[in-house]
Amino acid sequence: MSRASRGKKNKRKLKAKAYSETLIEKSEWLYENGMLELALQKATESIANNPESYEAYIQRAKIYSALQLFRMAIDDYNQAFRLDDSRQEILLERG
């Protein structure tokens, strides 16, 4: 892989990560304002955009819990922990 193509790939990855973070912020705002279905859509879109984002999985897990979809919440907390096992608070949130 050439240096130029690696640079383009890294740029795309950084843009995807920034976009994913924006989606998480939107999802958090929607969640805090009781718009759970829309918040879920944004969190899921964030995961689709950046599947390595443990923050997106945590956000979606919180929404699933609020919707009483506990099995799905646990699955997302587990995935978040797999992505970053240094975050012990994920286990506490998962319960």
Side-chain angles (χ1 to χ4, degrees):
M1 184 180 291
S2 73
R3 189 181 245 179
S5 63
R6 271 190 303 236
K8 285 181 184 179
K9 186 176 180 181
N10 287 339
K11 253 186 181 175
R12 280 195 304 268
K13 207 172 189 180
L14 287 173
K15 282 184 181 180
K17 185 176 180 183
Y19 182 61
S20 179
E21 290 171 2
T22 299
L23 290 169
I24 293 169
E25 289 171 6
K26 287 180 181 179
S27 178
E28 287 173 352
W29 186 89
L30 291 163
Y31 172 80
E32 290 168 3
N33 288 281
M35 294 178 254
L36 299 180
E37 292 298 329
L38 289 173
L40 181 59
Q41 288 175 4
K42 294 298 177 191
T44 300
E45 188 178 343
S46 177
I47 290 168
N49 190 59
N50 183 11
E52 301 301 311
S53 171
Y54 76 90
E55 297 101 333
Y57 282 99
I58 291 171
Q59 177 63 20
R60 191 169 72 175
K62 289 189 323 189
I63 299 164
Y64 280 145
S65 290
L67 293 169
Q68 298 183 2
L69 299 170
F70 301 117
R71 180 73 245 164
M72 296 171 89
I74 289 170
D75 289 345
D76 274 1
Y77 281 125
N78 288 341
Q79 181 61 23
F81 189 70
R82 278 191 289 278
L83 290 170
D84 189 349
D85 63 5
S86 69
R87 306 264 180 201
Q88 299 297 312
E89 66 271 13
I90 295 170
L91 298 177
L92 294 173
E93 287 185 45
R94 183 189 71 184

